[in-house]
Amino acid sequence: MATATSVAATLLLSLLLARARGGDDDYSGFVYAGCSQGRYESGSQYASGVESVLTSVANSAPYSPYANFTSPSPSSSSVVGLYQCRSDLPAAVCRGCVRSAISRLSSLCAWAAGGAVQLRTCFVRYGNDTFLGKQDTTVLFKKCGGSPGDAGGAAMRDSALGALVAAAAPAGGGYRAGGSGGVQAMSQCVGDLDAKACSDCVSAASGQLKAGCGYATAGEVYLGKCYARFWANGGGGGGFSSGAAGSNGYRFVRSLYGEHGGRLALAVAGGFFTSMAYFTLVLM
């Protein structure tokens, strides 16, 4: 099994490559990844199952923002995989993001029985546990930042996030968008959730941002089955000046400092593959 140092070095390389390809606004920018502690052997039936579902994921991404697949194997060796792209973006963006996510899984989670990676506009997961259709509001990553705001901005943020929760369940993909005054917000659920579960997940994500971001003018939170973001008009969904992940239930076991003071942390999170080691990149 890779050491914390080698994993951190791989993640630092991923950061540098992402910056070279387009910086922080890259559609395929890295958010977090997780790998199960269980392993499988090269050439095994399980290995064939992983290859089968990830190939199906890659082949489906140009045509649909969401799909799930199960490998044609005995139940003891079957593998389930899914992907979810941000449903409002063109198919070409989904295709590119999913292929980048699979590439990262292959390097970060090589031979892991289960793995998940969240990039800026897509999510890919595979494993042999029963995660399809199950709610998961575990906080995996949260960040607040932007220029200092005020009570008026916070009120607009709360209204924009509230509009996401109140929105009618969208058809196909669970993407929601809303705004209030000078603040915009969006959310995305994984497509295996039904309408109520998606609304519940968005509500939990919005609550995290309202409670944890104070007067920040931008924020984002990723839960096990959905994520939500808000930003002041003109911020484009970015503009973070600081990161905050230690308050999300992560237990940091090692951190390194990379280019421009980027903090690289190897974290272990509860829930959503309780046996998975999660890697979270926090830009300070």
Side-chain angles (χ1 to χ4, degrees), residues 26-120:
D26 186 358
Y27 282 131
S28 298
F30 179 81
V31 179
Y32 70 79
C35 311
S36 69
Q37 295 176 358
R39 316 289 285 176
Y40 64 87
E41 295 182 358
S42 174
S44 65
Q45 192 169 40
Y46 195 86
S48 297
V50 172
E51 182 178 1
S52 173
V53 298
L54 291 182
T55 297
S56 296
V57 163
N59 290 339
S60 178
Y63 306 103
S64 173
Y66 166 79
N68 68 77
F69 304 92
T70 301
S71 64
S73 307
S75 58
S76 59
S77 300
S78 64
V79 182
V80 176
L82 62 74
Y83 72 93
Q84 176 68 63
C85 291
R86 217 178 85 183
S87 307
D88 65 318
L89 295 176
V93 173
C94 182
R95 178 183 67 244
C97 187
V98 166
R99 290 182 176 177
S100 180
I102 292 173
S103 176
R104 289 173 184 268
L105 277 175
S106 298
S107 61
L108 298 177
C109 297
W111 314 118
V117 63
Q118 175 74 61
L119 304 186
R120 289 294 293 173

